[in-house]
Protein backbone atom coordinates (compact mmCIF):
# COMPACT_ATOMS: atom_id res chain seq x y z
CA UNK A 1 0.00 0.00 0.00
CA UNK A 2 2.79 2.40 0.97
CA UNK A 3 4.73 1.57 -2.24
CA UNK A 4 1.64 2.23 -4.34
CA UNK A 5 1.11 5.56 -2.62
CA UNK A 6 4.71 6.56 -3.20
CA UNK A 7 4.44 5.56 -6.87
CA UNK A 8 1.24 7.63 -7.26
CA UNK A 9 2.90 10.61 -5.56
CA UNK A 10 5.95 10.28 -7.78
CA UNK A 11 3.75 10.13 -10.88
CA UNK A 12 1.86 13.24 -9.73
CA UNK A 13 5.15 15.10 -9.16
CA UNK A 14 6.33 14.16 -12.65
CA UNK A 15 2.97 15.13 -14.11
CA UNK A 16 3.07 18.54 -12.38
CA UNK A 17 6.51 19.28 -13.75
CA UNK A 18 5.94 17.80 -17.21
CA UNK A 19 4.76 21.02 -18.90
CA UNK A 20 7.96 22.74 -17.77
CA UNK A 21 10.10 19.81 -18.88
CA UNK A 22 8.33 19.55 -22.22
CA UNK A 23 8.69 23.25 -23.00
CA UNK A 24 12.11 23.65 -21.46
CA UNK A 25 13.48 26.79 -19.81
CA UNK A 26 13.81 30.05 -21.73
CA UNK A 27 17.02 31.35 -23.28
CA UNK A 28 18.27 33.31 -20.26
CA UNK A 29 17.55 30.49 -17.82
CA UNK A 30 19.17 27.97 -20.14
CA UNK A 31 22.22 30.24 -20.37
CA UNK A 32 22.28 30.42 -16.57
CA UNK A 33 22.34 26.62 -16.46
CA UNK A 34 25.00 26.41 -19.20
CA UNK A 35 27.32 29.04 -17.72
CA UNK A 36 29.01 26.51 -15.44
CA UNK A 37 30.33 24.76 -18.56
CA UNK A 38 32.78 27.62 -18.99
CA UNK A 39 34.93 26.94 -15.89
CA UNK A 40 34.68 23.18 -16.52
CA UNK A 41 36.13 23.70 -19.99
CA UNK A 42 38.71 26.18 -18.68
CA UNK A 43 39.95 23.61 -16.15
CA UNK A 44 40.56 20.83 -18.68
CA UNK A 45 43.19 22.62 -20.79
CA UNK A 46 45.67 23.41 -17.96
CA UNK A 47 45.22 19.93 -16.50
CA UNK A 48 46.12 18.11 -19.71
CA UNK A 49 48.39 20.61 -21.50
CA UNK A 50 50.19 22.81 -18.96
CA UNK A 51 50.43 20.59 -15.88
CA UNK A 52 53.15 18.17 -17.10
CA UNK A 53 55.42 20.99 -18.27
CA UNK A 54 54.79 23.05 -15.13
CA UNK A 55 55.74 20.29 -12.69
CA UNK A 56 58.38 18.67 -14.89
CA UNK A 57 60.01 21.83 -16.28
CA UNK A 58 59.38 24.77 -13.96
CA UNK A 59 59.33 22.81 -10.69
CA UNK A 60 61.92 20.20 -11.69
CA UNK A 61 60.03 17.00 -10.87
CA UNK A 62 61.58 13.93 -12.50
CA UNK A 63 59.72 13.33 -15.79
CA UNK A 64 59.63 9.54 -15.50
CA UNK A 65 58.16 9.68 -11.99
CA UNK A 66 55.80 12.48 -12.99
CA UNK A 67 54.58 10.50 -15.99
CA UNK A 68 53.92 7.42 -13.87
CA UNK A 69 52.02 9.45 -11.25
CA UNK A 70 49.89 11.20 -13.88
CA UNK A 71 49.14 7.91 -15.63
CA UNK A 72 47.94 6.22 -12.41
CA UNK A 73 45.86 9.23 -11.34
CA UNK A 74 44.25 9.60 -14.77
CA UNK A 75 43.38 5.91 -14.95
CA UNK A 76 41.83 6.01 -11.48
CA UNK A 77 40.02 9.22 -12.40
CA UNK A 78 38.38 7.60 -15.40
CA UNK A 79 37.51 4.35 -13.63
CA UNK A 80 35.80 6.11 -10.73
CA UNK A 81 33.44 8.12 -12.99
CA UNK A 82 30.75 5.39 -13.26
CA UNK A 83 30.73 5.09 -9.46
CA UNK A 84 30.34 8.85 -9.11
CA UNK A 85 27.48 8.71 -11.60
CA UNK A 86 25.63 6.12 -9.52
CA UNK A 87 26.28 8.12 -6.34
CA UNK A 88 24.98 11.27 -8.04
CA UNK A 89 21.66 9.58 -8.81
CA UNK A 90 21.12 9.15 -5.07
CA UNK A 91 21.46 12.87 -4.32
CA UNK A 92 18.34 14.94 -3.84
CA UNK A 93 19.24 17.27 -6.73
CA UNK A 94 21.93 18.01 -9.28
CA UNK A 95 22.26 21.42 -7.66
CA UNK A 96 23.61 19.80 -4.52
CA UNK A 97 26.40 18.10 -6.47
CA UNK A 98 27.38 21.38 -8.18
CA UNK A 99 27.29 23.23 -4.85
CA UNK A 100 29.56 20.60 -3.27
CA UNK A 101 32.04 20.26 -6.13
CA UNK A 102 32.53 23.86 -7.29
CA UNK A 103 34.40 25.16 -4.19
CA UNK A 104 36.58 22.02 -4.12
CA UNK A 105 37.44 22.42 -7.80
CA UNK A 106 38.28 26.10 -7.28
CA UNK A 107 40.49 25.47 -4.24
CA UNK A 108 42.12 22.44 -5.85
CA UNK A 109 43.20 24.39 -8.95
CA UNK A 110 44.81 27.08 -6.79
CA UNK A 111 46.60 24.44 -4.72
CA UNK A 112 47.73 22.60 -7.86
CA UNK A 113 49.46 25.56 -9.47
CA UNK A 114 50.66 27.25 -6.26
CA UNK A 115 52.42 24.42 -4.35
CA UNK A 116 53.89 25.71 -1.06
CA UNK A 117 56.53 22.95 -0.77
CA UNK A 118 60.11 23.12 -2.06
CA UNK A 119 61.38 19.53 -2.17
CA UNK A 120 60.74 17.20 -5.09
CA UNK A 121 59.14 14.57 -2.84
CA UNK A 122 56.96 17.19 -1.22
CA UNK A 123 55.86 18.55 -4.59
CA UNK A 124 54.95 15.08 -5.81
CA UNK A 125 52.91 14.43 -2.66
CA UNK A 126 51.24 17.82 -3.05
CA UNK A 127 50.49 17.05 -6.71
CA UNK A 128 48.85 13.74 -5.82
CA UNK A 129 46.65 15.30 -3.13
CA UNK A 130 45.67 18.40 -5.13
CA UNK A 131 45.08 16.53 -8.38
CA UNK A 132 42.94 13.92 -6.63
CA UNK A 133 40.73 16.73 -5.30
CA UNK A 134 40.55 18.42 -8.69
CA UNK A 135 39.81 15.24 -10.63
CA UNK A 136 37.09 14.14 -8.21
CA UNK A 137 35.41 17.55 -8.06
CA UNK A 138 35.67 17.95 -11.83
CA UNK A 139 34.07 14.55 -12.49
CA UNK A 140 31.22 15.13 -10.02
CA UNK A 141 30.56 18.56 -11.53
CA UNK A 142 30.76 17.36 -15.15
CA UNK A 143 28.54 14.30 -14.65
CA UNK A 144 25.85 16.20 -12.79
CA UNK A 145 25.93 19.27 -15.00
CA UNK A 146 25.43 17.14 -18.12
CA UNK A 147 22.76 14.97 -16.45
CA UNK A 148 20.98 18.12 -15.23
CA UNK A 149 20.75 19.34 -18.83
CA UNK A 150 19.40 15.99 -19.99
CA UNK A 151 16.66 16.12 -17.35
CA UNK A 152 15.55 19.71 -18.01
CA UNK A 153 13.18 18.88 -20.86
CA UNK A 154 11.51 15.94 -22.58
CA UNK A 155 11.47 17.74 -25.95
CA UNK A 156 14.16 16.30 -28.31
CA UNK A 157 14.66 19.66 -30.06
CA UNK A 158 14.80 21.43 -26.72
CA UNK A 159 17.54 19.06 -25.56
CA UNK A 160 19.67 19.97 -28.56
CA UNK A 161 19.16 23.67 -27.87
CA UNK A 162 20.22 23.19 -24.25
CA UNK A 163 23.34 21.20 -25.13
CA UNK A 164 24.25 23.65 -27.91
CA UNK A 165 24.12 26.61 -25.54
CA UNK A 166 26.10 24.70 -22.92
CA UNK A 167 28.77 23.54 -25.37
CA UNK A 168 28.97 26.98 -26.99
CA UNK A 169 29.77 28.49 -23.59
CA UNK A 170 32.28 25.68 -23.02
CA UNK A 171 34.03 26.64 -26.27
CA UNK A 172 34.37 30.20 -25.00
CA UNK A 173 35.97 28.76 -21.87
CA UNK A 174 38.45 26.75 -23.97
CA UNK A 175 39.45 29.86 -25.96
CA UNK A 176 39.95 31.86 -22.75
CA UNK A 177 42.05 29.09 -21.17
CA UNK A 178 44.17 28.77 -24.31
CA UNK A 179 45.32 32.39 -24.21
CA UNK A 180 45.02 33.45 -20.54
CA UNK A 181 48.21 31.83 -19.10
CA UNK A 182 50.37 33.39 -21.83
CA UNK A 183 48.77 36.81 -21.38
CA UNK A 184 49.04 36.67 -17.58
CA UNK A 185 52.63 35.37 -17.73
CA UNK A 186 53.78 38.12 -20.08
CA UNK A 187 57.43 37.94 -21.07
CA UNK A 188 58.05 35.26 -18.42
CA UNK A 189 55.96 32.76 -20.41
CA UNK A 190 52.76 30.73 -19.88
CA UNK A 191 54.12 28.80 -16.87
CA UNK A 192 54.48 32.06 -14.96
CA UNK A 193 50.85 32.86 -15.72
CA UNK A 194 49.44 29.64 -14.30
CA UNK A 195 49.30 30.85 -10.67
CA UNK A 196 47.37 34.06 -11.44
CA UNK A 197 45.22 32.08 -13.88
CA UNK A 198 44.36 29.59 -11.10
CA UNK A 199 43.31 32.44 -8.77
CA UNK A 200 41.17 34.06 -11.46
CA UNK A 201 39.74 30.65 -12.36
CA UNK A 202 38.76 29.99 -8.74
CA UNK A 203 36.86 33.26 -8.46
CA UNK A 204 35.21 32.79 -11.84
CA UNK A 205 34.17 29.22 -10.96
CA UNK A 206 32.40 30.36 -7.80
CA UNK A 207 30.60 33.15 -9.68
CA UNK A 208 29.46 30.78 -12.44
CA UNK A 209 28.34 28.18 -9.90
CA UNK A 210 26.29 30.81 -8.06
CA UNK A 211 24.52 31.75 -11.31
CA UNK A 212 23.96 28.13 -12.36
CA UNK A 213 22.53 27.21 -8.96
CA UNK A 214 19.74 29.70 -9.67
CA UNK A 215 18.81 27.93 -12.92
CA UNK A 216 15.68 25.73 -13.07
CA UNK A 217 16.06 22.53 -11.13
CA UNK A 218 15.42 19.33 -13.06
CA UNK A 219 12.64 17.08 -11.75
CA UNK A 220 14.31 14.10 -10.08
CA UNK A 221 12.99 10.64 -10.60
CA UNK A 222 12.23 8.40 -7.67
CA UNK A 223 14.51 5.40 -7.18
CA UNK A 224 12.68 2.31 -8.41
CA UNK A 225 14.64 -0.05 -6.15
CA UNK A 226 17.79 -0.39 -4.14
CA UNK A 227 20.14 -2.47 -6.27
CA UNK A 228 23.73 -3.60 -5.67
CA UNK A 229 26.34 -1.06 -6.72
CA UNK A 230 27.80 -3.29 -9.44
CA UNK A 231 24.33 -3.75 -10.94
CA UNK A 232 23.68 -0.02 -11.10
CA UNK A 233 27.10 0.74 -12.59
CA UNK A 234 26.60 -1.89 -15.29
CA UNK A 235 22.93 -1.07 -15.95
CA UNK A 236 23.59 1.30 -18.90
CA UNK A 237 25.77 -1.33 -20.59
CA UNK A 238 22.81 -3.71 -20.55
CA UNK A 239 20.96 -1.19 -22.74
CA UNK A 240 21.66 -2.20 -26.39
CA UNK A 241 20.77 1.22 -27.77
CA UNK A 242 23.20 2.91 -25.40
CA UNK A 243 25.93 0.44 -26.35
CA UNK A 244 25.48 1.30 -30.02
CA UNK A 245 25.62 5.03 -29.30
CA UNK A 246 28.68 4.55 -27.09
CA UNK A 247 30.52 2.79 -29.95
CA UNK A 248 29.80 5.78 -32.22
CA UNK A 249 30.93 8.20 -29.53
CA UNK A 250 34.18 6.34 -28.91
CA UNK A 251 35.11 5.95 -32.59
CA UNK A 252 34.24 9.55 -33.39
CA UNK A 253 35.91 10.80 -30.21
CA UNK A 254 39.20 9.05 -30.97
CA UNK A 255 39.05 10.43 -34.52
CA UNK A 256 38.76 13.94 -33.08
CA UNK A 257 41.30 13.42 -30.29
CA UNK A 258 44.16 12.29 -32.56
CA UNK A 259 44.44 15.70 -34.31
CA UNK A 260 44.09 17.40 -30.92
CA UNK A 261 47.02 15.31 -29.64
CA UNK A 262 49.21 16.01 -32.69
CA UNK A 263 48.26 19.53 -33.78
CA UNK A 264 51.18 21.26 -32.05
CA UNK A 265 53.64 18.83 -33.68
CA UNK A 266 51.97 19.33 -37.07
CA UNK A 267 52.04 23.12 -36.90
CA UNK A 268 55.64 23.23 -35.68
CA UNK A 269 57.20 20.60 -37.96
CA UNK A 270 55.02 20.31 -41.08
CA UNK A 271 53.82 23.90 -41.44
CA UNK A 272 56.87 25.33 -39.62
CA UNK A 273 54.61 28.00 -38.12
CA UNK A 274 54.93 27.37 -34.39
CA UNK A 275 54.29 31.04 -33.57
CA UNK A 276 50.77 30.76 -35.02
CA UNK A 277 49.60 27.81 -32.93
CA UNK A 278 47.32 29.99 -30.78
CA UNK A 279 45.74 31.59 -33.85
CA UNK A 280 44.92 28.24 -35.43
CA UNK A 281 43.37 26.91 -32.22
CA UNK A 282 41.32 30.07 -31.77
CA UNK A 283 40.03 29.88 -35.36
CA UNK A 284 38.99 26.27 -34.85
CA UNK A 285 37.10 26.79 -31.59
CA UNK A 286 35.51 30.10 -32.58
CA UNK A 287 34.25 28.50 -35.81
CA UNK A 288 32.84 25.66 -33.71
CA UNK A 289 30.84 28.13 -31.66
CA UNK A 290 29.62 30.01 -34.73
CA UNK A 291 28.49 26.79 -36.41
CA UNK A 292 26.53 25.53 -33.40
CA UNK A 293 23.16 27.16 -34.36
CA UNK A 294 23.40 25.57 -37.81
CA UNK A 295 23.52 22.06 -36.36
CA UNK A 296 20.64 22.81 -33.99
CA UNK A 297 18.49 23.85 -36.96
CA UNK A 298 19.58 20.93 -39.11
CA UNK A 299 18.85 18.47 -36.30
CA UNK A 300 15.33 19.87 -35.98
CA UNK A 301 14.79 19.57 -39.75
CA UNK A 302 16.58 16.29 -40.52
CA UNK A 303 16.78 14.51 -37.17
CA UNK A 304 19.79 14.34 -34.87
CA UNK A 305 21.44 11.25 -36.30
CA UNK A 306 21.28 12.50 -39.89
CA UNK A 307 22.52 15.93 -38.87
CA UNK A 308 25.42 14.29 -37.02
CA UNK A 309 26.15 12.19 -40.11
CA UNK A 310 26.29 15.38 -42.17
CA UNK A 311 28.69 16.85 -39.62
CA UNK A 312 30.97 13.82 -39.88
CA UNK A 313 30.98 14.00 -43.68
CA UNK A 314 31.71 17.74 -43.56
CA UNK A 315 34.59 17.16 -41.13
CA UNK A 316 36.15 14.50 -43.37
CA UNK A 317 35.83 16.60 -46.53
CA UNK A 318 37.28 19.67 -44.82
CA UNK A 319 40.10 17.99 -42.91
CA UNK A 320 41.60 15.31 -45.14
CA UNK A 321 43.36 18.00 -47.24
CA UNK A 322 45.71 18.70 -44.33
CA UNK A 323 47.67 15.65 -45.51
CA UNK A 324 48.83 17.60 -48.59
CA UNK A 325 50.09 20.69 -46.74
CA UNK A 326 53.72 21.65 -46.29
CA UNK A 327 55.94 24.45 -44.95
CA UNK A 328 54.31 27.87 -45.20
CA UNK A 329 50.81 26.65 -46.08
CA UNK A 330 49.33 28.64 -43.22
CA UNK A 331 46.50 30.19 -45.21
CA UNK A 332 45.25 26.80 -46.37
CA UNK A 333 45.53 25.38 -42.86
CA UNK A 334 43.62 28.35 -41.43
CA UNK A 335 40.82 27.58 -43.91
CA UNK A 336 40.86 23.94 -42.83
CA UNK A 337 40.65 25.04 -39.18
CA UNK A 338 37.61 27.21 -39.92
CA UNK A 339 35.77 24.60 -42.02
CA UNK A 340 36.49 21.66 -39.72
CA UNK A 341 35.65 23.92 -36.76
CA UNK A 342 32.22 24.58 -38.24
CA UNK A 343 31.73 20.80 -38.37
CA UNK A 344 32.85 20.53 -34.73
CA UNK A 345 29.54 22.01 -33.61
CA UNK A 346 27.77 18.78 -34.58
CA UNK A 347 30.11 16.70 -32.41
CA UNK A 348 29.48 18.99 -29.45
CA UNK A 349 25.75 19.64 -29.62
CA UNK A 350 24.25 16.40 -30.89
CA UNK A 351 25.78 13.39 -29.01
CA UNK A 352 24.75 14.50 -25.49
CA UNK A 353 21.29 15.34 -26.80
CA UNK A 354 21.01 11.90 -28.40
CA UNK A 355 22.13 10.31 -25.14
CA UNK A 356 19.36 12.16 -23.30
CA UNK A 357 16.85 10.83 -25.85
CA UNK A 358 18.13 7.29 -25.31
CA UNK A 359 17.80 7.62 -21.53
CA UNK A 360 14.31 9.14 -21.63
CA UNK A 361 12.78 6.94 -24.37
CA UNK A 362 9.61 4.87 -23.82
CA UNK A 363 8.84 6.42 -20.44
CA UNK A 364 10.98 3.99 -18.42
CA UNK A 365 12.92 5.12 -15.36
CA UNK A 366 16.66 5.02 -16.05
CA UNK A 367 19.57 6.26 -13.85
CA UNK A 368 20.71 9.39 -15.70
CA UNK A 369 23.83 9.82 -13.58
CA UNK A 370 24.97 6.26 -14.23
CA UNK A 371 24.65 6.79 -17.99
CA UNK A 372 26.58 10.06 -17.89
CA UNK A 373 29.20 8.51 -15.60
CA UNK A 374 30.03 5.98 -18.31
CA UNK A 375 29.80 8.74 -20.94
CA UNK A 376 32.37 10.81 -19.02
CA UNK A 377 34.62 7.76 -18.73
CA UNK A 378 34.35 7.31 -22.51
CA UNK A 379 35.32 10.96 -23.04
CA UNK A 380 38.51 10.43 -21.06
CA UNK A 381 39.20 7.13 -22.80
CA UNK A 382 39.05 8.96 -26.13
CA UNK A 383 42.02 11.11 -25.13
CA UNK A 384 43.95 8.19 -23.70
CA UNK A 385 43.33 5.92 -26.68
CA UNK A 386 44.19 8.70 -29.14
CA UNK A 387 47.60 9.13 -27.54
CA UNK A 388 48.00 5.36 -27.27
CA UNK A 389 47.31 4.94 -30.98
CA UNK A 390 48.92 8.02 -32.52
CA UNK A 391 52.21 8.38 -30.65
CA UNK A 392 53.42 4.75 -30.96
CA UNK A 393 52.31 4.70 -34.61
CA UNK A 394 54.34 7.84 -35.31
CA UNK A 395 57.41 6.36 -33.62
CA UNK A 396 57.00 3.15 -35.65
CA UNK A 397 56.77 5.17 -38.88
CA UNK A 398 59.96 7.07 -38.08
CA UNK A 399 58.77 10.47 -36.86
CA UNK A 400 60.57 12.31 -34.06
CA UNK A 401 59.64 15.78 -32.76
CA UNK A 402 61.71 18.47 -34.44
CA UNK A 403 61.99 16.57 -37.73
CA UNK A 404 62.35 18.97 -40.66
CA UNK A 405 62.40 16.58 -43.60
CA UNK A 406 62.31 13.01 -44.84
CA UNK A 407 59.74 10.29 -44.28
CA UNK A 408 59.05 11.42 -40.69
CA UNK A 409 57.06 14.46 -41.80
CA UNK A 410 55.02 12.35 -44.21
CA UNK A 411 54.25 9.96 -41.37
CA UNK A 412 53.13 12.85 -39.16
CA UNK A 413 50.86 14.24 -41.89
CA UNK A 414 49.40 10.77 -42.50
CA UNK A 415 48.62 10.04 -38.85
CA UNK A 416 47.39 13.60 -38.24
CA UNK A 417 45.03 13.84 -41.21
CA UNK A 418 44.34 10.45 -42.85
CA UNK A 419 44.00 8.16 -39.81
CA UNK A 420 41.35 10.36 -38.13
CA UNK A 421 39.33 10.53 -41.36
CA UNK A 422 39.40 6.73 -41.65
CA UNK A 423 38.19 6.43 -38.04
CA UNK A 424 35.52 9.03 -38.74
CA UNK A 425 34.26 6.88 -41.63
CA UNK A 426 33.98 3.96 -39.21
CA UNK A 427 32.04 6.16 -36.80
CA UNK A 428 29.76 7.21 -39.67
CA UNK A 429 28.96 3.57 -40.44
CA UNK A 430 28.33 2.86 -36.73
CA UNK A 431 26.02 5.89 -36.56
CA UNK A 432 24.05 4.58 -39.54
CA UNK A 433 23.56 1.28 -37.70
CA UNK A 434 22.54 3.18 -34.57
CA UNK A 435 19.94 5.13 -36.57
CA UNK A 436 18.47 1.90 -37.92
CA UNK A 437 18.19 0.45 -34.41
CA UNK A 438 16.89 3.70 -32.90
CA UNK A 439 14.17 4.29 -35.48
CA UNK A 440 11.76 2.16 -33.49
CA UNK A 441 12.43 3.90 -30.16
CA UNK A 442 13.39 7.56 -30.58
CA UNK A 443 11.21 10.45 -31.76
Amino acid sequence: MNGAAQGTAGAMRRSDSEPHRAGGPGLLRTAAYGLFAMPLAMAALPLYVHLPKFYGGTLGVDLAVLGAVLLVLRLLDGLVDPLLGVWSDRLRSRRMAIALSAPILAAGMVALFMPPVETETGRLAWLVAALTLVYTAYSVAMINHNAWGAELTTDPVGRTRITAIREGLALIGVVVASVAPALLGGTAGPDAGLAPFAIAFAAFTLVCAAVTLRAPNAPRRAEASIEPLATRVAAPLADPLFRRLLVVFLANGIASAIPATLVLFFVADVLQAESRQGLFLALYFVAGGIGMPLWVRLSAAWGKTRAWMAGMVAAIVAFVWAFALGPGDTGAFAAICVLSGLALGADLALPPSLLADVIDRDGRERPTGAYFGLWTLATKLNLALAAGIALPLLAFLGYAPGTTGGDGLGALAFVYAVVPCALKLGALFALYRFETAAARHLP
Side-chain angles (χ1 to χ4, degrees):
M1 185 72 166
N2 186 47
Q6 289 177 345
T8 302
M12 292 176 62
R13 285 194 297 272
R14 287 194 297 276
S15 176
D16 291 344
S17 63
E18 197 65 28
H20 169 72
R21 289 193 70 209
L27 179 60
L28 289 179
R29 302 188 83 186
T30 301
Y33 152 75
L35 187 64
F36 194 65
M38 284 186 68
L40 290 176
M42 289 170 64
L45 197 66
L47 289 179
Y48 287 98
V49 176
H50 294 292
L51 183 68
K53 187 174 182 297
F54 178 70
Y55 271 83
T58 304
L59 299 184
V61 175
D62 181 82
L63 287 180
V65 177
L66 177 63
V69 168
L70 290 178
L71 176 62
V72 170
L73 289 177
R74 287 174 179 176
L75 287 174
L76 291 175
D77 170 47
L79 292 174
V80 80
D81 284 343
L83 300 176
L84 292 175
V86 170
W87 170 77
S88 298
D89 282 329
R90 298 182 182 275
L91 294 176
R92 287 181 297 176
S93 73
R94 303 293 179 196
R95 278 186 178 142
M96 179 183 295
I98 301 295
L100 288 172
S101 58
I104 298 173
L105 177 61
M109 286 289 284
V110 173
L112 195 59
F113 291 107
M114 298 180 68
V117 289
E118 298 295 332
T119 66
E120 182 178 13
T121 302
R123 284 170 174 168
L124 269 174
W126 186 267
L127 170 68
V128 170
L131 199 53
T132 299
L133 284 177
V134 170
Y135 277 160
T136 303
Y138 180 87
S139 292
V140 170
M142 178 66 76
I143 291 167
N144 283 277
H145 194 235
N146 287 344
W148 185 351
E151 295 167 344
L152 274 174
T153 179
T154 56
D155 176 33
V157 175
R159 287 190 183 118
T160 305
R161 180 175 60 86
I162 290 169
T163 57
I165 291 173
R166 182 184 69 213
E167 299 304 324
L169 290 166
L171 280 178
I172 296 173
V174 170
V175 173
V176 170
S178 67
V179 300
L183 291 177
L184 293 171
T187 57
D191 282 357
L194 288 172
F197 170 79
I199 295 173
F201 168 84
F204 185 66
T205 297
L206 296 178
V207 171
C208 290
V211 173
T212 294
L213 290 175
R214 298 180 64 84
N217 201 15
R220 297 307 308 278
R221 302 182 176 202
E223 293 287 340
S225 63
I226 302 300
E227 298 172 320
L229 180 61
T231 301
R232 293 190 63 81
V233 169
L237 294 177
D239 182 344
L241 204 56
F242 173 72
R243 292 199 306 268
R244 287 182 180 271
L245 183 60
L246 192 64
V247 168
V248 180
F249 184 67
L250 281 168
N252 189 66
I254 296 170
S256 300
I258 287 177
T261 302
L262 301 180
V263 63
L264 299 186
F265 298 108
F266 184 84
V267 172
D269 293 342
V270 173
L271 300 181
Q272 297 179 16
E274 189 170 7
S275 62
R276 301 190 183 184
Q277 289 174 350
L279 172 63
F280 294 139
L281 291 174
L283 285 173
Y284 178 70
F285 289 119
V286 170
I290 292 173
M292 200 84 72
L294 167 67
W295 299 109
V296 174
R297 292 178 183 176
L298 287 180
S299 70
W302 298 352
K304 296 176 190 179
T305 53
R306 293 186 181 181
W308 195 10
M309 286 178 189
M312 290 183 184
V313 172
I316 293 169
V317 172
F319 191 69
V320 72
W321 301 103
F323 174 69
L325 300 183
D329 289 335
T330 54
F333 188 67
I336 288 173
C337 288
V338 171
L339 294 175
S340 58
L342 290 171
L344 170 69
D347 286 342
L348 295 176
L350 301 180
S353 182
L354 270 172
L355 175 59
D357 292 345
V358 167
I359 296 170
D360 201 43
R361 72 186 191 276
D362 64 31
R364 289 181 56 191
E365 302 284 350
R366 292 183 177 88
T368 308
Y371 275 80
F372 274 98
L374 284 168
W375 195 258
T376 304
L377 169 59
T379 302
K380 294 172 182 177
L381 281 177
N382 288 340
L383 291 169
L385 290 172
I389 293 170
L391 297 180
L393 182 57
L394 280 177
F396 175 77
L397 294 175
Y399 169 75
T403 298
T404 57
D407 294 337
L409 287 186
L412 174 58
F414 175 80
V415 178
Y416 175 74
V418 178
V419 171
C421 290
L423 287 170
K424 187 81 80 169
L425 284 172
L428 184 62
F429 176 70
L431 183 57
Y432 170 77
R433 295 190 63 189
F434 168 81
E435 183 189 32
T436 302
R440 299 186 301 273
H441 302 287
L442 300 184

